[in-house]
mmCIF file of all heavy atoms in Angstrom:
data_model
loop_
_atom_site.group_PDB
_atom_site.id
_atom_site.type_symbol
_atom_site.label_atom_id
_atom_site.label_comp_id
_atom_site.label_asym_id
_atom_site.label_seq_id
_atom_site.Cartn_x
_atom_site.Cartn_y
_atom_site.Cartn_z
ATOM 1 N N ASN L 4 26.393 153.271 120.052
ATOM 2 C CA ASN L 4 25.208 153.027 119.210
ATOM 3 C C ASN L 4 25.618 152.693 117.776
ATOM 4 O O ASN L 4 24.804 152.192 117.001
ATOM 5 C CB ASN L 4 24.261 154.227 119.226
ATOM 6 C CG ASN L 4 23.543 154.369 120.560
ATOM 7 O OD1 ASN L 4 23.830 153.622 121.495
ATOM 8 N ND2 ASN L 4 22.619 155.312 120.648
ATOM 9 N N SER L 5 26.880 152.986 117.434
ATOM 10 C CA SER L 5 27.393 152.558 116.127
ATOM 11 C C SER L 5 27.769 151.090 116.166
ATOM 12 O O SER L 5 27.432 150.322 115.272
ATOM 13 C CB SER L 5 28.631 153.364 115.732
ATOM 14 O OG SER L 5 28.283 154.702 115.515
ATOM 15 N N THR L 6 28.516 150.739 117.181
ATOM 16 C CA THR L 6 28.834 149.327 117.414
ATOM 17 C C THR L 6 29.464 149.202 118.789
ATOM 18 O O THR L 6 29.822 150.202 119.414
ATOM 19 C CB THR L 6 29.777 148.766 116.325
ATOM 20 O OG1 THR L 6 29.726 147.323 116.375
ATOM 21 C CG2 THR L 6 31.211 149.222 116.496
ATOM 22 N N SER L 64 21.810 138.287 108.364
ATOM 23 C CA SER L 64 23.168 138.851 108.386
ATOM 24 C C SER L 64 23.252 140.128 109.216
ATOM 25 O O SER L 64 24.289 140.776 109.243
ATOM 26 C CB SER L 64 23.631 139.138 106.958
ATOM 27 O OG SER L 64 22.808 140.140 106.386
ATOM 28 N N GLY L 65 22.160 140.524 109.884
ATOM 29 C CA GLY L 65 22.226 141.710 110.741
ATOM 30 C C GLY L 65 20.943 142.515 110.691
ATOM 31 O O GLY L 65 19.949 142.116 110.068
ATOM 32 N N GLY L 66 20.990 143.675 111.333
ATOM 33 C CA GLY L 66 19.807 144.526 111.424
ATOM 34 C C GLY L 66 19.303 144.977 110.065
ATOM 35 O O GLY L 66 18.096 145.042 109.814
ATOM 36 N N THR L 67 20.215 145.297 109.174
ATOM 37 C CA THR L 67 19.815 145.791 107.860
ATOM 38 C C THR L 67 19.030 144.739 107.088
ATOM 39 O O THR L 67 17.958 145.027 106.538
ATOM 40 C CB THR L 67 21.074 146.212 107.056
ATOM 41 O OG1 THR L 67 21.744 147.239 107.786
ATOM 42 C CG2 THR L 67 20.704 146.715 105.674
ATOM 43 N N GLU L 68 19.541 143.510 107.071
ATOM 44 C CA GLU L 68 18.803 142.449 106.368
ATOM 45 C C GLU L 68 17.456 142.190 107.038
ATOM 46 O O GLU L 68 16.445 141.993 106.352
ATOM 47 C CB GLU L 68 19.617 141.156 106.305
ATOM 48 C CG GLU L 68 18.878 140.085 105.502
ATOM 49 C CD GLU L 68 19.545 138.708 105.527
ATOM 50 O OE1 GLU L 68 20.794 138.640 105.572
ATOM 51 O OE2 GLU L 68 18.807 137.710 105.505
ATOM 52 N N SER L 69 17.426 142.208 108.358
ATOM 53 C CA SER L 69 16.166 141.943 109.068
ATOM 54 C C SER L 69 15.117 142.995 108.708
ATOM 55 O O SER L 69 13.959 142.663 108.452
ATOM 56 C CB SER L 69 16.399 141.926 110.578
ATOM 57 O OG SER L 69 17.304 140.895 110.904
ATOM 58 N N ASP L 70 15.519 144.267 108.706
ATOM 59 C CA ASP L 70 14.579 145.332 108.340
ATOM 60 C C ASP L 70 14.099 145.157 106.891
ATOM 61 O O ASP L 70 12.911 145.280 106.596
ATOM 62 C CB ASP L 70 15.246 146.711 108.492
ATOM 63 C CG ASP L 70 15.393 147.132 109.956
ATOM 64 O OD1 ASP L 70 14.700 146.559 110.817
ATOM 65 O OD2 ASP L 70 16.204 148.036 110.234
ATOM 66 N N GLU L 94 13.299 156.891 111.227
ATOM 67 C CA GLU L 94 13.766 155.504 111.150
ATOM 68 C C GLU L 94 15.206 155.437 110.642
ATOM 69 O O GLU L 94 15.718 156.362 110.003
ATOM 70 C CB GLU L 94 12.871 154.707 110.201
ATOM 71 C CG GLU L 94 11.449 154.505 110.677
ATOM 72 C CD GLU L 94 11.333 153.627 111.910
ATOM 73 O OE1 GLU L 94 12.073 152.626 112.004
ATOM 74 O OE2 GLU L 94 10.492 153.936 112.770
ATOM 75 N N HIS L 95 15.836 154.293 110.885
ATOM 76 C CA HIS L 95 17.171 154.001 110.355
ATOM 77 C C HIS L 95 17.075 153.850 108.831
ATOM 78 O O HIS L 95 16.036 153.428 108.323
ATOM 79 C CB HIS L 95 17.656 152.697 110.995
ATOM 80 C CG HIS L 95 19.099 152.397 110.756
ATOM 81 N ND1 HIS L 95 19.536 151.751 109.625
ATOM 82 C CD2 HIS L 95 20.205 152.655 111.493
ATOM 83 C CE1 HIS L 95 20.856 151.622 109.684
ATOM 84 N NE2 HIS L 95 21.287 152.158 110.806
ATOM 85 N N PRO L 96 18.147 154.177 108.105
ATOM 86 C CA PRO L 96 18.120 153.988 106.640
ATOM 87 C C PRO L 96 17.752 152.558 106.221
ATOM 88 O O PRO L 96 17.221 152.365 105.113
ATOM 89 C CB PRO L 96 19.561 154.314 106.213
ATOM 90 C CG PRO L 96 20.086 155.213 107.296
ATOM 91 C CD PRO L 96 19.397 154.810 108.568
ATOM 92 N N ALA L 97 18.002 151.581 107.074
ATOM 93 C CA ALA L 97 17.664 150.188 106.733
ATOM 94 C C ALA L 97 16.150 149.975 106.660
ATOM 95 O O ALA L 97 15.688 148.971 106.110
ATOM 96 C CB ALA L 97 18.288 149.221 107.740
ATOM 97 N N VAL L 98 15.381 150.917 107.221
ATOM 98 C CA VAL L 98 13.921 150.900 107.084
ATOM 99 C C VAL L 98 13.500 151.878 105.985
ATOM 100 O O VAL L 98 12.684 151.565 105.118
ATOM 101 C CB VAL L 98 13.234 151.263 108.426
ATOM 102 C CG1 VAL L 98 11.753 151.566 108.228
ATOM 103 C CG2 VAL L 98 13.420 150.132 109.436
ATOM 104 N N GLN L 142 10.318 152.088 114.771
ATOM 105 C CA GLN L 142 11.443 151.613 115.579
ATOM 106 C C GLN L 142 11.092 151.606 117.074
ATOM 107 O O GLN L 142 10.228 152.374 117.511
ATOM 108 C CB GLN L 142 12.652 152.508 115.344
ATOM 109 C CG GLN L 142 12.412 153.932 115.764
ATOM 110 C CD GLN L 142 13.429 154.942 115.266
ATOM 111 O OE1 GLN L 142 13.337 156.082 115.633
ATOM 112 N NE2 GLN L 142 14.379 154.558 114.435
ATOM 113 N N HIS L 143 11.795 150.784 117.834
ATOM 114 C CA HIS L 143 11.613 150.784 119.286
ATOM 115 C C HIS L 143 12.375 151.964 119.889
ATOM 116 O O HIS L 143 11.800 152.757 120.619
ATOM 117 C CB HIS L 143 12.074 149.446 119.877
ATOM 118 C CG HIS L 143 11.676 149.263 121.309
ATOM 119 N ND1 HIS L 143 12.169 148.251 122.084
ATOM 120 C CD2 HIS L 143 10.834 149.960 122.099
ATOM 121 C CE1 HIS L 143 11.637 148.344 123.309
ATOM 122 N NE2 HIS L 143 10.837 149.369 123.344
ATOM 123 N N ALA L 144 13.667 152.071 119.564
ATOM 124 C CA ALA L 144 14.449 153.202 120.083
ATOM 125 C C ALA L 144 15.291 153.788 118.965
ATOM 126 O O ALA L 144 15.799 153.061 118.114
ATOM 127 C CB ALA L 144 15.340 152.749 121.232
ATOM 128 N N ASN L 145 15.439 155.096 118.994
ATOM 129 C CA ASN L 145 16.183 155.796 117.943
ATOM 130 C C ASN L 145 17.684 155.819 118.263
ATOM 131 O O ASN L 145 18.072 156.109 119.393
ATOM 132 C CB ASN L 145 15.647 157.227 117.803
ATOM 133 C CG ASN L 145 16.319 157.969 116.681
ATOM 134 O OD1 ASN L 145 17.360 158.580 116.865
ATOM 135 N ND2 ASN L 145 15.741 157.890 115.492
ATOM 136 N N SER L 146 18.505 155.570 117.263
ATOM 137 C CA SER L 146 19.943 155.471 117.523
ATOM 138 C C SER L 146 20.607 156.836 117.708
ATOM 139 O O SER L 146 21.616 156.942 118.372
ATOM 140 C CB SER L 146 20.632 154.712 116.386
ATOM 141 O OG SER L 146 20.332 155.316 115.151
ATOM 142 N N GLU L 147 20.054 157.884 117.137
ATOM 143 C CA GLU L 147 20.728 159.191 117.198
ATOM 144 C C GLU L 147 20.352 160.016 118.429
ATOM 145 O O GLU L 147 21.203 160.660 119.032
ATOM 146 C CB GLU L 147 20.414 160.004 115.939
ATOM 147 C CG GLU L 147 21.119 159.471 114.713
ATOM 148 C CD GLU L 147 20.976 160.418 113.530
ATOM 149 O OE1 GLU L 147 21.152 161.633 113.698
ATOM 150 O OE2 GLU L 147 20.666 159.923 112.431
ATOM 151 N N ASP L 171 11.870 147.948 114.493
ATOM 152 C CA ASP L 171 13.320 147.826 114.460
ATOM 153 C C ASP L 171 13.788 147.971 115.908
ATOM 154 O O ASP L 171 13.788 149.063 116.471
ATOM 155 C CB ASP L 171 13.894 148.938 113.571
ATOM 156 C CG ASP L 171 15.422 148.962 113.574
ATOM 157 O OD1 ASP L 171 16.024 148.435 114.522
ATOM 158 O OD2 ASP L 171 16.005 149.524 112.633
ATOM 159 N N ALA L 172 14.130 146.816 116.508
ATOM 160 C CA ALA L 172 14.516 146.810 117.925
ATOM 161 C C ALA L 172 16.027 146.693 118.083
ATOM 162 O O ALA L 172 16.519 146.290 119.140
ATOM 163 C CB ALA L 172 13.805 145.672 118.651
ATOM 164 N N VAL L 173 16.763 147.075 117.049
ATOM 165 C CA VAL L 173 18.220 146.911 117.068
ATOM 166 C C VAL L 173 18.854 147.709 118.216
ATOM 167 O O VAL L 173 19.751 147.226 118.893
ATOM 168 C CB VAL L 173 18.837 147.320 115.711
ATOM 169 C CG1 VAL L 173 20.355 147.348 115.786
ATOM 170 C CG2 VAL L 173 18.377 146.373 114.610
ATOM 171 N N GLN L 174 18.355 148.930 118.466
ATOM 172 C CA GLN L 174 18.966 149.743 119.528
ATOM 173 C C GLN L 174 18.434 149.415 120.916
ATOM 174 O O GLN L 174 19.035 149.813 121.913
ATOM 175 C CB GLN L 174 18.755 151.239 119.246
ATOM 176 C CG GLN L 174 19.681 151.808 118.186
ATOM 177 C CD GLN L 174 21.151 151.760 118.560
ATOM 178 O OE1 GLN L 174 21.516 151.639 119.723
ATOM 179 N NE2 GLN L 174 22.008 151.841 117.563
ATOM 180 N N SER L 175 17.314 148.724 120.993
ATOM 181 C CA SER L 175 16.753 148.475 122.326
ATOM 182 C C SER L 175 17.138 147.108 122.879
ATOM 183 O O SER L 175 17.253 146.949 124.093
ATOM 184 C CB SER L 175 15.230 148.617 122.297
ATOM 185 O OG SER L 175 14.668 147.708 121.377
ATOM 186 N N LYS L 178 19.402 146.775 125.827
ATOM 187 C CA LYS L 178 19.379 148.019 126.609
ATOM 188 C C LYS L 178 18.076 148.152 127.396
ATOM 189 O O LYS L 178 18.047 148.775 128.459
ATOM 190 C CB LYS L 178 19.537 149.240 125.695
ATOM 191 C CG LYS L 178 20.865 149.309 124.952
ATOM 192 C CD LYS L 178 21.087 150.709 124.385
ATOM 193 C CE LYS L 178 22.318 150.791 123.492
ATOM 194 N NZ LYS L 178 22.010 150.513 122.065
ATOM 195 N N SER L 192 13.258 143.347 114.373
ATOM 196 C CA SER L 192 14.645 143.174 113.932
ATOM 197 C C SER L 192 15.602 143.358 115.099
ATOM 198 O O SER L 192 15.450 144.300 115.880
ATOM 199 C CB SER L 192 15.005 144.236 112.887
ATOM 200 O OG SER L 192 14.090 144.234 111.824
ATOM 201 N N VAL L 193 16.614 142.488 115.166
ATOM 202 C CA VAL L 193 17.679 142.653 116.167
ATOM 203 C C VAL L 193 19.034 142.389 115.498
ATOM 204 O O VAL L 193 19.098 141.787 114.423
ATOM 205 C CB VAL L 193 17.489 141.703 117.382
ATOM 206 C CG1 VAL L 193 16.229 142.052 118.160
ATOM 207 C CG2 VAL L 193 17.456 140.238 116.958
ATOM 208 N N SER L 194 20.090 142.877 116.145
ATOM 209 C CA SER L 194 21.438 142.727 115.588
ATOM 210 C C SER L 194 22.428 142.473 116.717
ATOM 211 O O SER L 194 22.343 143.085 117.779
ATOM 212 C CB SER L 194 21.820 144.010 114.846
ATOM 213 O OG SER L 194 23.135 143.918 114.358
ATOM 214 N N ALA L 195 23.397 141.560 116.474
ATOM 215 C CA ALA L 195 24.321 141.160 117.540
ATOM 216 C C ALA L 195 25.342 142.242 117.907
ATOM 217 O O ALA L 195 25.673 142.418 119.076
ATOM 218 C CB ALA L 195 25.064 139.884 117.127
ATOM 219 N N HIS L 196 25.823 142.984 116.899
ATOM 220 C CA HIS L 196 26.979 143.844 117.198
ATOM 221 C C HIS L 196 26.619 145.107 117.972
ATOM 222 O O HIS L 196 27.502 145.867 118.373
ATOM 223 C CB HIS L 196 27.768 144.178 115.920
ATOM 224 C CG HIS L 196 27.175 145.213 115.028
ATOM 225 N ND1 HIS L 196 27.564 146.533 115.067
ATOM 226 C CD2 HIS L 196 26.230 145.146 114.070
ATOM 227 C CE1 HIS L 196 26.896 147.216 114.151
ATOM 228 N NE2 HIS L 196 26.069 146.396 113.530
ATOM 229 N N LYS L 197 25.330 145.333 118.226
ATOM 230 C CA LYS L 197 24.943 146.469 119.067
ATOM 231 C C LYS L 197 24.853 146.048 120.540
ATOM 232 O O LYS L 197 24.580 146.862 121.407
ATOM 233 C CB LYS L 197 23.597 147.048 118.608
ATOM 234 C CG LYS L 197 23.554 147.488 117.130
ATOM 235 C CD LYS L 197 24.332 148.764 116.872
ATOM 236 C CE LYS L 197 24.432 149.092 115.401
ATOM 237 N NZ LYS L 197 23.346 149.878 114.865
ATOM 238 N N PRO L 201 29.205 139.730 117.681
ATOM 239 C CA PRO L 201 29.955 139.984 116.435
ATOM 240 C C PRO L 201 29.129 140.698 115.370
ATOM 241 O O PRO L 201 27.897 140.685 115.423
ATOM 242 C CB PRO L 201 30.313 138.566 115.958
ATOM 243 C CG PRO L 201 29.260 137.687 116.546
ATOM 244 C CD PRO L 201 28.834 138.319 117.845
ATOM 245 N N LYS L 202 29.796 141.307 114.419
ATOM 246 C CA LYS L 202 29.130 141.955 113.292
ATOM 247 C C LYS L 202 28.703 140.920 112.251
ATOM 248 O O LYS L 202 29.284 139.849 112.161
ATOM 249 C CB LYS L 202 30.061 142.982 112.659
ATOM 250 C CG LYS L 202 30.321 144.173 113.573
ATOM 251 C CD LYS L 202 31.499 144.986 113.109
ATOM 252 C CE LYS L 202 31.822 146.090 114.107
ATOM 253 N NZ LYS L 202 32.132 145.574 115.476
ATOM 254 N N GLY L 203 27.686 141.268 111.467
ATOM 255 C CA GLY L 203 27.278 140.383 110.384
ATOM 256 C C GLY L 203 26.337 139.271 110.797
ATOM 257 O O GLY L 203 26.168 138.297 110.062
ATOM 258 N N ILE L 204 25.730 139.406 111.964
ATOM 259 C CA ILE L 204 24.729 138.419 112.385
ATOM 260 C C ILE L 204 23.610 139.133 113.148
ATOM 261 O O ILE L 204 23.868 140.041 113.930
ATOM 262 C CB ILE L 204 25.377 137.265 113.222
ATOM 263 C CG1 ILE L 204 24.355 136.171 113.560
ATOM 264 C CG2 ILE L 204 26.018 137.800 114.496
ATOM 265 C CD1 ILE L 204 24.038 135.246 112.415
ATOM 266 N N GLY L 205 22.404 138.734 112.868
ATOM 267 C CA GLY L 205 21.250 139.331 113.543
ATOM 268 C C GLY L 205 20.077 138.400 113.372
ATOM 269 O O GLY L 205 20.261 137.212 113.066
ATOM 270 N N CYS L 321 26.135 155.865 109.401
ATOM 271 C CA CYS L 321 25.902 155.559 107.986
ATOM 272 C C CYS L 321 25.838 156.839 107.155
ATOM 273 O O CYS L 321 26.161 156.826 105.981
ATOM 274 C CB CYS L 321 24.610 154.793 107.827
ATOM 275 S SG CYS L 321 24.342 153.616 109.137
ATOM 276 N N ARG L 347 26.756 163.134 118.910
ATOM 277 C CA ARG L 347 26.092 162.084 119.680
ATOM 278 C C ARG L 347 27.134 161.326 120.476
ATOM 279 O O ARG L 347 28.145 160.886 119.935
ATOM 280 C CB ARG L 347 25.376 161.093 118.764
ATOM 281 C CG ARG L 347 24.719 159.984 119.583
ATOM 282 C CD ARG L 347 24.254 158.833 118.723
ATOM 283 N NE ARG L 347 25.364 158.089 118.127
ATOM 284 C CZ ARG L 347 25.200 157.121 117.241
ATOM 285 N NH1 ARG L 347 23.992 156.815 116.824
ATOM 286 N NH2 ARG L 347 26.254 156.466 116.759
HETATM 287 C C1 PLP T 401 22.759 149.584 113.557
HETATM 288 C C2 PLP T 401 21.322 149.657 113.257
HETATM 289 C C3 PLP T 401 20.769 148.947 112.176
HETATM 290 C C4 PLP T 401 21.614 148.135 111.222
HETATM 291 O O1 PLP T 401 22.084 146.958 111.820
HETATM 292 P P1 PLP T 401 23.340 146.202 111.148
HETATM 293 O O2 PLP T 401 23.446 144.930 111.925
HETATM 294 O O3 PLP T 401 24.511 147.106 111.326
HETATM 295 O O4 PLP T 401 22.990 145.975 109.723
HETATM 296 C C5 PLP T 401 19.414 149.032 111.970
HETATM 297 N N1 PLP T 401 18.626 149.770 112.772
HETATM 298 C C6 PLP T 401 19.127 150.460 113.817
HETATM 299 C C7 PLP T 401 18.195 151.249 114.684
HETATM 300 C C8 PLP T 401 20.478 150.435 114.094
HETATM 301 O O5 PLP T 401 20.966 151.140 115.104
#
Side-chain angles (χ1 to χ4, degrees):
N4 288 5
S5 294
T6 197
S64 64
T67 300
E68 183 187 326
S69 299
D70 286 342
E94 293 293 321
H95 191 275
V98 167
Q142 62 194 184
H143 191 191
N145 183 273
S146 55
E147 288 189 45
D171 175 338
V173 172
Q174 283 297 340
S175 59
K178 297 195 187 90
S192 306
V193 295
S194 177
H196 77 97
K197 304 287 173 88
K202 292 165 185 59
I204 185 77
C321 322
R347 179 192 68 186

